[in-house]
Amino acid sequence: MGDHKEQQPARVGAAVRRRRRALELTLAVVAERTGLSVPFLSQVENDKARPSHTSLEKLADALRTTAVELLAAADPAASVDVVRAETAADADFAPRTRSLIRGHHQLHASEYTGDHDAGREFQHRNDELMYVADGAVEIEAEGRAYRLGRGDTLYLTGGVRHRWRATVPDTRIIVVAVAEHIEAVQDRTR
């Protein structure tokens, strides 16, 4: 059993649909531009059919992009990725950050160990969850201070300015956020 990433071929359908909708095109318009049938295009968008290289090029042209860009924006059919913990020999107990997810995904997750620049203010476009795995932190958000200990979480909606600092040595927090490249900001007028 390896620690490498296991991945099946990318599903390009969602990327095609997102691009078509961003351009405000109907399936009928794309069919007319490509010479491909509406039922086939529907099957492609729903990942029930895989376009040939030629069909993908036609789709890319109709959507004013390239096949490479469509493939880069494709969703993986399935993936499994293991990120192993650092061993005691790797840990020098200096402040550090470790990414818990490799690659370009909808979630971003990092582990922060030790202290960091407590004066640094963060403001992310999308939602974020902070989980204290060990130790304790003080988080200032929206002008209010929150003290969190081991096992506590704090949820921040997109746009909230915040800063944090470890209040005990060897503190370890996990931050999980919707990735910046995802447009996940909701209408806050409700």
Side-chain angles (χ1 to χ4, degrees):
M1 210 186 275
D3 292 343
H4 63 284
K5 192 165 190 168
E6 304 275 340
Q7 191 165 334
Q8 295 176 357
R11 296 181 305 182
V12 74
V16 169
R17 182 183 312 106
R18 283 191 300 269
R19 180 69 181 170
R20 178 181 62 79
R21 287 180 177 169
L23 295 172
E24 298 180 352
L25 299 174
T26 64
L27 281 174
V29 168
V30 175
E32 184 179 309
R33 289 182 180 180
T34 61
L36 302 170
S37 71
V38 170
F40 175 71
L41 292 173
S42 177
Q43 288 180 335
V44 167
E45 285 193 0
N46 290 301
D47 289 312
K48 296 193 184 319
R50 293 182 66 195
S52 67
H53 180 72
T54 303
S55 294
L56 188 60
E57 290 289 341
K58 288 179 182 180
L59 272 169
D61 289 343
L63 298 173
R64 292 182 268 172
T65 189
T66 65
V68 171
E69 288 295 320
L70 286 174
L71 288 170
D75 296 331
S79 68
V80 176
D81 190 20
V82 176
V83 178
R84 294 285 179 197
E86 295 176 345
T87 64
D90 296 335
D92 59 6
F93 300 106
R96 66 188 178 283
T97 303
R98 179 172 76 103
S99 182
L100 301 175
I101 299 174
R102 291 182 278 233
H104 193 66
H105 298 284
Q106 294 181 12
L107 286 180
H108 177 73
S110 296
E111 175 186 62
Y112 297 88
T113 303
D115 210 349
H116 75 287
D117 180 5
R120 182 173 176 203
E121 185 173 74
F122 299 92
Q123 181 179 26
H124 305 289
R125 184 171 76 174
N126 295 322
D127 296 359
E128 175 179 322
L129 176 82
M130 299 176 84
Y131 170 75
V132 181
D134 286 308
V137 297
E138 185 175 89
I139 302 169
E140 182 186 318
E142 295 295 311
R144 229 176 124 192
Y146 301 88
R147 294 180 193 276
L148 280 73
R150 185 172 189 256
D152 292 340
T153 62
L154 179 78
Y155 180 83
L156 303 162
T157 58
V160 171
R161 292 182 182 275
H162 60 284
R163 70 180 89 232
W164 66 272
R165 67 181 185 88
T167 56
V168 299
D170 299 329
T171 291
R172 193 166 52 101
I173 71 168
I174 308 297
V175 177
V176 179
V178 175
E180 291 293 320
H181 69 277
I182 303 295
E183 190 61 46
V185 176
Q186 296 177 2
D187 179 13
R188 305 277 185 229
T189 59
R190 297 192 244 172

